[in-house]
Amino acid sequence: MAVQVEKWDVFELVLMGPQAGNPFIDISLSATFTQADRSLRVGGFYDGDGCYKIRFMPEVEGEWSYVTSSNGAGLDGVCGSFVCTSPSVNNHGPVRVANQFHFAHADGTSYIPVGTTCYVWNLQGDPLEEQTLRTLDAAPFNKMRMCVFPKRYTFNSNEPPSYPFPAKFVGELKSSWSREMVEAYYNQQPPDYWDWDRFNPEYFQHLEKRILDLCERGIEADLIIFHPYDYGAWGFDRMPAAVNDRLLHYLVARLASFRNIWWSFANEYDLFIGRTMEDWDHYMQLVQQIDPYDHLRSIHNCLSFYDHTKPWVTHCSIQNWNMYRVHVWRKMYGKPVVIDECCYEGNINMLWGDLSAEKMVHRFWTGFVQGGYVGHGETYTNEREELWWSKGGELVGQSPERIAFLRKIFESAPDIQPVEKMDGEFVNLMETGGGRPFIRGTQAIDTIMAEGPWNCTAGGFHEDDYFIFYFGSHQPGFRHFNLPEGASFRVDVIDTWNMTIECFAESASGPITIPMPTRQYMAIRIQKN
Amino acid sequence: MAVQVEKWDVFELVLMGPQAGNPFIDISLSATFTQADRSLRVGGFYDGDGCYKIRFMPEVEGEWSYVTSSNGAGLDGVCGSFVCTSPSVNNHGPVRVANQFHFAHADGTSYIPVGTTCYVWNLQGDPLEEQTLRTLDAAPFNKMRMCVFPKRYTFNSNEPPSYPFPAKFVGELKSSWSREMVEAYYNQQPPDYWDWDRFNPEYFQHLEKRILDLCERGIEADLIIFHPYDYGAWGFDRMPAAVNDRLLHYLVARLASFRNIWWSFANEYDLFIGRTMEDWDHYMQLVQQIDPYDHLRSIHNCLSFYDHTKPWVTHCSIQNWNMYRVHVWRKMYGKPVVIDECCYEGNINMLWGDLSAEKMVHRFWTGFVQGGYVGHGETYTNEREELWWSKGGELVGQSPERIAFLRKIFESAPDIQPVEKMDGEFVNLMETGGGRPFIRGTQAIDTIMAEGPWNCTAGGFHEDDYFIFYFGSHQPGFRHFNLPEGASFRVDVIDTWNMTIECFAESASGPITIPMPTRQYMAIRIQKN
């Protein structure tokens, strides 16, 4: 009976080959997978102990055949076939951009990214990693930002269980960093602890195990390939250029067949020293070229935005604190806007990690009602120095349950486009003297908003059938709307903090006045019946 | 015995003169006041019923003499003298700009403006006006924004008890406005209800009575001369140019001798239709020229800032919602920054009037710690349509008592300069790619802030002896500071919402870690002993 693999699952071919020399560099291996007139070439990789692997994610049902190509003894010309069956019920395929500003799985199921961040949760040892998975089981998140490399930073002084490269010499690993250390570090030559010509398969095996743990839970792995938080501990932020490229090939060969992979080329790319914009362009173009499945590609800023209009960027991965700008970024970049870092709920000694739960939830709502996607992180201190944002573990904050409430609301909404020129833009206009804040148009949203630009701090809509307005720190006692005559609308008043939805009218039309409770963090949702 | 007038009080000379013709235009009247080698020329005004008045505010103690000059029978060449005595205990003289960015009374007493707005409280009839005064007695405000003219707007449909001009024809006064009405109005000729060539003394007598009521209470009257909220009711927003000028002369003659007068040339000058920037420049220059006491002069925007660097502007009177920009405005304009409108605490159906008390207090703190001065207003609906922001009456919000707490703190602080390039600027940098957010300098503030730009959302300091940091929606569990060695500092943790001050250390120096309660709206104050 033929091998069966369900659509968007992994077909893996394991071959034994040469162990002598340096298999990572000496041996080339690929396979061509063919179905009817469709043919894809896929790179293989060396997994240690003479074991070579080729992984393939079939995107079309039916019989596939393959044949390998290699310069290694026993690895060339191996051929075979398998049958790709229909996907199981929870397998919706990889996430793609849909409707320009949104996302959907390959099977058409809508995907509303509600992300969190645990940068190196996969490098904390099994007990904590398994706790993280249990926490995720009860949490609202369906996307995880996580790193390929270990992280050295405040609250991150521990060594990973293993390293991505075999050690040549493990010197004194710095356990924390100071301004002076960083300066000294960047005046040094690159460290020379590692055999840059080989990978440590054990390290990557564990990484992929954790990515598959997420996949089982329906969580996308937004994999951060490079990050600058090394500070002399290991030197992974300043590897030779050839090693960076080899890593990209290796990651694609190992991981591209996992349907929940997203490629995030950097965290805070603009904090790297000695890396040019051309380097970043090159990494993204290279992966665009070698990833047979065209997984999502993004790059995350600290201060300076990458130019997300570049064609190899599939969506914006933004760090910023001003969610009122979501509608501007959508217009600027013409792509989905994911704000992966808007600060973290927590109480550490940095502004980016001491946001109140109220404000975190506020930023989520401000972004989501404009058709953007805001991400979560948590940085409450504890004696174990296990902060969710970096190591995973447990969540203690008050925002996740509100984010779960929000997720339900937006998963039941159509694709939203933003009301433009609201609060955030208004502030800018006031400073620059750019004229009136709000040009009334001919769209349904303009008709409905009886108070014009004064209606809400942020809002969004879908055609003439869905409208959502958010009030943030404003606390109206009432609001007027002009619903179109000749159609009937359900009107709900939502308390985003207390997580209640109160129906004002099941069937309304024409001018209405909605009483509201003079409380912060309220929203109004108007849906055509 | 000689007439005695205390310094900065009003000497008033009353003369009877012609009633025939039009005394407002036909009769010119002024007086020259002389003391030693000092001499000032002051305009008089007609107060009706044949009564002419000349008012003078002596700014120097000792004997003053005067002589009048007029073309009116019995008004010319009148002379006399009075003695200017030292001021009484609560009389500190008019407020002036001090130390470039701050204010002080003429006697050197520091003045921290903590303003509120009741645009037309003086036009509501005595019962409500007296209630307003009782409310002010218990409120923390020492500056009141109020208008010369009545106001027609949402929640402002009532007629004033009298009008500033004698009526020629009182047609149908519109009781509310709509978009269509406004458009129709601006297509009309100017209304012709009034005898523009005369003032109604009764109207101005009442205005000055209320200004003096404020003066008795130590409240500065930030008098808004023109405003655009007329909407066809009376046409006071579109008077003939000669009438505008005549009004300015009349106001100066009547009111400039009141020590608590500030001239605010417009509310939302940029919302006037058919008024040029040259018109506004002219009004301000004219008053600068004719006001013998050089009272403070400002002009308030809606969207587009006036160029506050113009030399006749004494301080910025700003409408804006982003208090993080205070340090930028200070640098831009080089003058005191008063944010007279940052939205109002309330619950009406407009974003500018439905701010939560939490956010109002938050904006006060954000502005004040940067050495700016934020103003209050309140717009809670009630059945009487008596909203504080316009009519006065009672205050029901939760911000005034917190503003009282804030006032005490800043009245006991030295003049503060802002920590620059914090949150607000940082947001802009993140968008424009302008580089690192924070350039560490050599000032004491840079030394103290152990976390650099991540330390607080807004902060300020005075030399090396006073530092104040505010955290807003951030909720640190602790903060590090590097206090200079060799000096001792008192360190307090302030809960701006719950109005508590907890002393962390009475005498600290060197590196310190301040535990904080993981709550929003906290501040840290560090004062040299």
Side-chain angles (χ1 to χ4, degrees):
Chain A
M1 184 171 161
V3 174
Q4 296 204 332
V5 176
E6 70 178 71
K7 191 177 176 181
W8 302 309
D9 226 336
V10 183
F11 170 81
E12 185 177 84
L13 177 66
V14 181
L15 301 170
M16 298 309 290
Q19 296 195 50
N22 181 351
F24 293 98
I25 288 185
D26 301 342
I27 305 297
S28 66
L29 173 65
S30 67
T32 301
F33 288 81
T34 304
Q35 197 239 28
D37 53 358
R38 181 185 311 256
S39 190
L40 279 167
R41 191 160 170 277
V42 173
F45 65 95
Y46 183 61
D47 205 21
D49 300 325
C51 178
Y52 292 79
K53 290 181 177 170
I54 295 170
R55 289 176 180 162
F56 177 65
M57 176 180 80
E59 298 186 88
V60 177
E61 293 174 38
E63 186 169 325
W64 287 83
S65 62
Y66 59 85
V67 57
T68 67
S69 167
S70 177
N71 62 352
L75 299 175
D76 187 55
V78 179
C79 58
S81 69
F82 67 91
V83 172
C84 173
T85 62
S86 58
S88 55
V89 63
N90 291 321
N91 171 0
H92 301 291
V95 172
R96 312 287 187 197
V97 171
N99 197 6
Q100 187 176 359
F101 294 107
H102 306 279
F103 298 96
H105 287 278
D107 73 350
T109 309
S110 169
Y111 173 77
I112 305 288
V114 178
T116 189
T117 293
C118 305
Y119 284 124
V120 286
W121 75 278
N122 51 303
L123 296 172
Q124 304 306 319
D126 284 340
L128 188 54
E129 294 172 24
E130 281 156 19
Q131 187 188 14
T132 302
L133 291 170
R134 288 192 300 274
T135 301
L136 288 170
D137 286 336
F141 306 113
N142 62 11
K143 181 167 84 72
M144 171 64 83
R145 299 174 71 225
M146 56 186 285
C147 296
V148 169
F149 288 107
K151 175 167 183 161
R152 176 71 80 243
Y153 199 70
T154 320
F155 305 111
N156 285 268
S157 54
N158 56 330
E159 289 297 313
S162 67
Y163 298 93
F165 302 92
K168 274 172 65 181
F169 164 74
V170 178
E172 187 193 354
L173 296 179
K174 298 174 183 67
S175 64
S176 70
W177 62 282
S178 66
R179 192 171 303 271
E180 293 67 31
M181 286 171 61
V182 174
E183 277 169 21
Y185 166 58
Y186 283 111
N187 291 327
Q188 286 167 12
Q189 289 303 306
D192 195 24
Y193 302 155
W194 314 105
D195 180 353
W196 296 122
D197 291 339
R198 296 166 189 267
F199 296 107
N200 175 10
E202 180 201 350
Y203 185 87
F204 291 93
Q205 286 157 10
H206 189 73
L207 173 65
E208 67 196 29
K209 172 172 149 63
R210 292 312 181 196
I211 291 171
L212 291 174
D213 285 334
L214 297 178
C215 192
E216 274 175 28
R217 289 163 173 82
I219 299 173
E220 302 295 305
D222 200 357
L223 188 69
I224 296 167
I225 299 174
F226 299 111
H227 71 73
Y229 305 107
D230 190 296
Y231 295 110
W234 314 289
F236 299 141
D237 58 340
R238 49 193 343 222
M239 306 189 298
V243 179
N244 290 329
D245 278 16
R246 202 180 304 133
L247 173 76
L248 294 174
H249 280 277
Y250 197 69
L251 289 174
V252 168
R254 290 199 78 111
L255 304 175
S257 58
F258 297 176
R259 63 175 171 271
N260 67 326
I261 272 287
W262 300 24
W263 306 117
S264 174
F265 286 80
N267 200 43
E268 305 193 326
Y269 81 96
D270 50 327
L271 295 192
F272 279 81
I273 293 181
R275 203 78 62 116
T276 66
M277 196 60 83
E278 289 67 32
D279 291 331
W280 297 111
D281 294 349
H282 163 71
Y283 305 144
M284 297 189 82
Q285 289 175 286
L286 175 60
V287 170
Q288 182 183 34
Q289 183 193 326
I290 64 178
D291 171 4
Y293 320 107
D294 201 31
H295 285 289
L296 292 168
R297 288 176 301 273
S298 72
I299 181 165
H300 188 76
N301 64 289
C302 176
L303 303 177
S304 306
F305 282 23
Y306 186 84
D307 177 3
H308 301 296
T309 63
K310 289 181 176 175
W312 44 84
V313 178
T314 55
H315 63 282
C316 311
S317 171
I318 285 175
Q319 176 175 176
N320 197 277
W321 305 6
N322 184 355
M323 297 302 99
Y324 294 115
R325 301 290 288 167
V326 164
H327 71 91
V328 177
W329 300 325
R330 276 180 46 129
K331 187 164 275 184
M332 262 172 90
Y333 298 117
K335 296 180 184 176
V337 170
V338 183
I339 304 92
D340 281 307
E341 186 176 339
C342 69
C343 297
Y344 304 124
E345 183 188 344
N347 69 347
I348 64 169
N349 56 323
M350 307 251 168
L351 284 188
W352 56 259
D354 67 358
L355 202 64
S356 66
E358 289 87 343
K359 196 75 178 223
M360 172 61 92
V361 175
H362 168 79
R363 290 185 181 174
F364 263 77
W365 272 90
T366 305
F368 270 84
V369 295
Q370 293 176 76
Y373 302 101
V374 185
H376 164 271
E378 186 178 291
T379 44
Y380 283 104
T381 53
N382 56 49
E383 288 189 359
R384 307 177 303 284
E385 289 217 336
E386 290 168 8
L387 281 62
W388 173 262
W389 131 88
S390 187
K391 299 184 184 174
E394 57 177 8
L395 284 165
V396 300
Q398 295 183 285
S399 67
E401 64 174 310
R402 275 93 186 172
I403 293 168
F405 175 74
L406 167 143
R407 180 176 164 180
K408 266 190 223 153
I409 286 172
F410 287 94
E411 284 188 338
S412 72
D415 289 343
I416 289 172
Q417 71 178 96
V419 178
E420 294 181 5
K421 296 186 176 297
M422 302 300 294
D423 192 355
E425 185 71 346
F426 184 53
V427 168
N428 285 356
L429 281 168
M430 296 224 292
E431 288 175 14
T432 58
R436 299 296 176 108
F438 189 79
I439 312 299
R440 289 181 78 84
T442 55
Q443 291 179 301
I445 189 75
D446 298 314
T447 309
I448 276 192
M449 293 176 63
E451 269 101 27
W454 308 112
N455 220 324
C456 61
T457 59
F461 65 106
H462 176 264
E463 298 176 3
D464 65 350
D465 57 13
Y466 189 97
F467 306 88
I468 190 157
F469 304 100
Y470 175 61
F471 300 93
S473 298
H474 296 262
Q475 50 171 16
F478 63 104
R479 273 294 191 271
H480 302 307
F481 290 90
N482 298 321
L483 305 185
E485 309 278 359
S488 125
F489 293 85
R490 180 190 170 90
V491 179
D492 294 303
V493 176
I494 299 172
D495 184 325
T496 69
W497 179 255
N498 294 306
M499 300 174 282
T500 60
I501 302 177
E502 285 191 29
C503 181
F504 163 70
E506 293 195 354
S507 175
S509 68
I512 55 170
T513 297
I514 305 174
M516 296 181 69
T518 307
R519 267 205 308 276
Q520 296 188 84
Y521 310 129
M522 303 300 295
I524 289 174
R525 179 177 62 178
I526 300 173
Q527 302 173 90
K528 201 175 195 172
N529 288 317
Chain B
M1 182 172 161
V3 175
Q4 294 204 336
V5 176
E6 70 179 68
K7 191 177 178 183
W8 302 309
D9 226 335
V10 183
F11 170 80
E12 184 177 85
L13 178 65
V14 181
L15 302 170
M16 296 312 288
Q19 296 194 49
N22 181 351
F24 293 98
I25 289 185
D26 301 343
I27 305 298
S28 65
L29 173 65
S30 67
T32 301
F33 288 82
T34 304
Q35 195 239 28
D37 53 1
R38 182 185 311 258
S39 189
L40 279 167
R41 190 161 172 277
V42 173
F45 65 95
Y46 183 59
D47 205 21
D49 299 325
C51 178
Y52 291 79
K53 291 181 175 168
I54 295 170
R55 290 178 180 161
F56 177 65
M57 176 181 82
E59 299 185 89
V60 178
E61 294 173 39
E63 183 169 327
W64 286 83
S65 63
Y66 58 84
V67 57
T68 65
S69 168
S70 177
N71 61 354
L75 300 176
D76 187 57
V78 179
C79 58
S81 69
F82 67 91
V83 171
C84 175
T85 61
S86 58
S88 55
V89 64
N90 291 320
N91 172 1
H92 301 290
V95 171
R96 312 289 188 196
V97 171
N99 198 6
Q100 186 176 359
F101 294 106
H102 306 279
F103 298 96
H105 288 278
D107 74 350
T109 308
S110 169
Y111 172 77
I112 304 289
V114 178
T116 190
T117 293
C118 305
Y119 284 123
V120 286
W121 75 278
N122 50 305
L123 296 173
Q124 304 306 318
D126 284 340
L128 188 54
E129 293 171 25
E130 281 156 18
Q131 188 187 14
T132 302
L133 291 169
R134 288 192 300 274
T135 301
L136 287 170
D137 285 337
F141 307 113
N142 62 10
K143 180 168 85 71
M144 170 64 84
R145 298 175 72 225
M146 57 185 285
C147 296
V148 169
F149 288 107
K151 175 167 182 160
R152 176 70 80 245
Y153 198 68
T154 319
F155 306 110
N156 285 267
S157 55
N158 56 329
E159 289 297 312
S162 66
Y163 296 93
F165 301 93
K168 272 173 65 183
F169 163 76
V170 178
E172 187 194 355
L173 296 179
K174 297 174 185 67
S175 64
S176 70
W177 62 283
S178 66
R179 191 172 301 271
E180 292 67 33
M181 286 171 59
V182 174
E183 279 168 19
Y185 167 57
Y186 281 113
N187 291 326
Q188 287 168 10
Q189 289 302 307
D192 195 25
Y193 303 154
W194 314 105
D195 180 353
W196 296 122
D197 291 339
R198 296 166 188 266
F199 296 107
N200 174 9
E202 179 201 352
Y203 185 88
F204 291 92
Q205 285 158 9
H206 189 74
L207 174 66
E208 68 196 29
K209 170 173 151 64
R210 292 311 182 197
I211 291 171
L212 290 173
D213 285 333
L214 297 179
C215 192
E216 274 176 28
R217 289 162 172 82
I219 299 173
E220 302 295 304
D222 199 358
L223 188 68
I224 297 167
I225 300 175
F226 299 110
H227 72 73
Y229 305 107
D230 190 295
Y231 295 110
W234 313 290
F236 299 140
D237 58 341
R238 49 193 342 220
M239 304 189 301
V243 179
N244 290 329
D245 279 17
R246 203 180 303 133
L247 174 76
L248 295 173
H249 280 277
Y250 197 69
L251 289 174
V252 168
R254 289 200 79 110
L255 304 175
S257 58
F258 297 176
R259 63 176 171 270
N260 67 327
I261 272 287
W262 299 24
W263 306 116
S264 175
F265 286 81
N267 200 43
E268 305 193 327
Y269 81 95
D270 49 329
L271 296 191
F272 278 80
I273 293 181
R275 204 78 62 116
T276 67
M277 195 62 83
E278 287 69 33
D279 291 331
W280 298 112
D281 293 349
H282 163 72
Y283 305 143
M284 298 187 81
Q285 288 174 287
L286 175 60
V287 170
Q288 182 183 32
Q289 184 194 325
I290 64 178
D291 172 5
Y293 319 107
D294 202 30
H295 285 289
L296 293 169
R297 288 175 302 273
S298 72
I299 180 166
H300 188 75
N301 65 290
C302 176
L303 303 177
S304 305
F305 282 24
Y306 187 84
D307 178 3
H308 301 296
T309 63
K310 290 180 176 174
W312 43 86
V313 178
T314 54
H315 64 283
C316 310
S317 171
I318 284 175
Q319 176 175 176
N320 198 277
W321 306 6
N322 184 356
M323 297 302 99
Y324 294 115
R325 303 288 288 168
V326 163
H327 70 91
V328 177
W329 300 325
R330 275 179 49 127
K331 189 165 274 185
M332 259 172 91
Y333 299 116
K335 296 181 182 176
V337 170
V338 183
I339 303 93
D340 281 306
E341 186 176 339
C342 72
C343 298
Y344 304 124
E345 183 187 344
N347 69 347
I348 64 168
N349 56 322
M350 308 251 167
L351 284 186
W352 55 260
D354 67 358
L355 203 64
S356 66
E358 289 87 343
K359 196 74 180 224
M360 173 60 95
V361 175
H362 168 79
R363 290 185 181 174
F364 263 78
W365 272 89
T366 305
F368 270 84
V369 295
Q370 293 176 76
Y373 302 101
V374 184
H376 164 269
E378 186 177 291
T379 44
Y380 282 103
T381 53
N382 55 48
E383 289 190 357
R384 307 177 304 284
E385 288 217 337
E386 290 169 8
L387 280 63
W388 174 262
W389 131 89
S390 187
K391 300 185 184 173
E394 58 177 8
L395 284 166
V396 299
Q398 295 183 286
S399 66
E401 65 176 306
R402 275 94 187 170
I403 292 168
F405 175 75
L406 167 142
R407 179 176 164 179
K408 265 190 225 152
I409 287 172
F410 288 94
E411 283 189 337
S412 72
D415 289 342
I416 289 172
Q417 71 179 96
V419 178
E420 293 182 6
K421 295 187 178 297
M422 301 298 295
D423 192 355
E425 185 72 345
F426 184 52
V427 168
N428 285 355
L429 280 167
M430 295 223 291
E431 287 174 18
T432 57
R436 298 299 176 108
F438 190 78
I439 312 299
R440 287 180 80 84
T442 55
Q443 292 180 298
I445 189 75
D446 299 313
T447 308
I448 277 195
M449 292 176 64
E451 270 100 23
W454 306 115
N455 221 325
C456 61
T457 59
F461 65 107
H462 176 264
E463 296 174 5
D464 66 350
D465 56 13
Y466 189 96
F467 307 88
I468 189 157
F469 304 99
Y470 176 61
F471 299 92
S473 298
H474 296 262
Q475 50 170 15
F478 62 104
R479 274 295 192 272
H480 302 308
F481 290 90
N482 298 320
L483 305 184
E485 310 277 0
S488 123
F489 294 86
R490 180 190 170 91
V491 179
D492 293 304
V493 176
I494 299 172
D495 183 326
T496 69
W497 181 255
N498 294 307
M499 299 175 282
T500 60
I501 302 176
E502 286 191 29
C503 180
F504 163 71
E506 293 194 356
S507 176
S509 67
I512 56 169
T513 296
I514 305 174
M516 295 180 70
T518 307
R519 264 204 311 274
Q520 297 188 84
Y521 310 130
M522 303 299 297
I524 288 174
R525 180 177 61 179
I526 300 173
Q527 302 173 89
K528 201 174 195 171
N529 287 319

